[in-house]
């Protein structure tokens, strides 16, 4: 997992600020300052921001970008074993395989389950057959393993 350096640095600075505010809160209580209750809220909120920034920085995973792939929207995802992405009308044939592979690699595996342990990813386009009648055409298909995250292109 790659940690985001900006959020990691912000989390460290917010952690230091919450430590200083905690010290000011203790001094405020001992000295019976009028703002001591506000300091409790500011300190706890700053500590919450610090923990949130650090957690997000550690858990952040950037999206995969493959050469030759086009960014396409996911139009159907049943949450377990099937994902369908829509290809634009002007997608060149040489970009179909890298595009479906990119969609498969960018899937998040948490919460998914299937009988065979695979998620099937399809890239499809809607083609017009007759006026008012169209059909979906699968351009490329890949499977992603839920266990290891490996992606295999299907012919």
């Amino acid at each position: 997992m790659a940690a985001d350096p900006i959020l990691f640095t912000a989390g460290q600075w917010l952690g230091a600020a919450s430590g200083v505010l905690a010290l000011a809160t203790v001094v405020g209580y001992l000295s019976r300052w009028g703002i001591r209750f506000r300091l409790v809220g500011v300190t706890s909120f700053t500590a919450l921001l610090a923990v949130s920034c650090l957690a997000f920085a550690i858990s952040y995973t950037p999206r995969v970008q493959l050469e030759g792939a086009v960014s396409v929207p996911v139009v159907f995802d049943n949450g377990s074993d099937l994902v369908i992405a829509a290809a634009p009308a002007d997608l060149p044939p040489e970009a179909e395989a890298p595009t479906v592979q990119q969609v498969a690699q960018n899937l998040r595996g948490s919460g998914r389950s299937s009988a065979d342990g695979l998620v099937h990813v399809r890239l499809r386009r809607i083609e017009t057959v007759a006026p008012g009648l169209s059909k979906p055409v699968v351009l490329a298909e890949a499977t992603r393993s839920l266990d290891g995250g490996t992606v295999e292109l299907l012919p």
Side-chain angles (χ1 to χ4, degrees):
M1 290 186 227
D4 188 16
I6 294 174
L7 281 174
F8 197 70
T9 303
Q12 289 175 332
W13 278 100
L14 285 167
S18 67
V20 170
L21 285 169
L23 184 65
T25 302
V26 169
V27 170
Y29 264 95
L30 295 176
S31 302
R32 303 187 67 69
W33 291 346
I35 63 166
R36 64 183 179 261
F37 299 111
R38 291 182 187 150
L39 281 173
V40 170
V42 171
T43 303
S44 60
F45 184 69
T46 306
L48 178 68
L49 283 177
V51 170
S52 299
C53 283
L54 290 173
F56 185 71
I58 291 170
S59 67
Y60 175 72
T61 307
R63 295 182 60 81
V64 175
Q65 293 286 344
L66 296 178
E67 187 169 333
V70 177
S71 180
V72 293
V74 172
V75 294
F76 178 77
D77 185 353
N78 67 358
S80 61
D81 65 344
L82 180 62
V83 174
I84 298 176
D90 59 348
L91 184 71
E94 61 271 2
E96 293 170 357
T99 300
V100 75
Q101 187 175 7
Q102 177 175 295
V103 171
Q105 287 182 351
N106 284 327
L107 287 179
R108 302 293 179 245
S110 60
R112 295 186 183 273
S113 65
S114 68
D116 57 357
L118 298 174
V119 177
H120 299 275
V121 180
R122 295 181 182 141
L123 181 67
R124 65 108 172 113
R125 175 184 298 147
I126 303 293
E127 292 183 355
T128 304
V129 177
L133 183 64
S134 57
K135 69 174 184 169
V137 176
V138 176
L139 303 173
E141 186 172 356
T143 58
R144 179 184 170 133
S145 170
L146 291 174
D147 296 331
T150 58
V151 175
E152 181 181 330
L153 292 172
L154 299 176

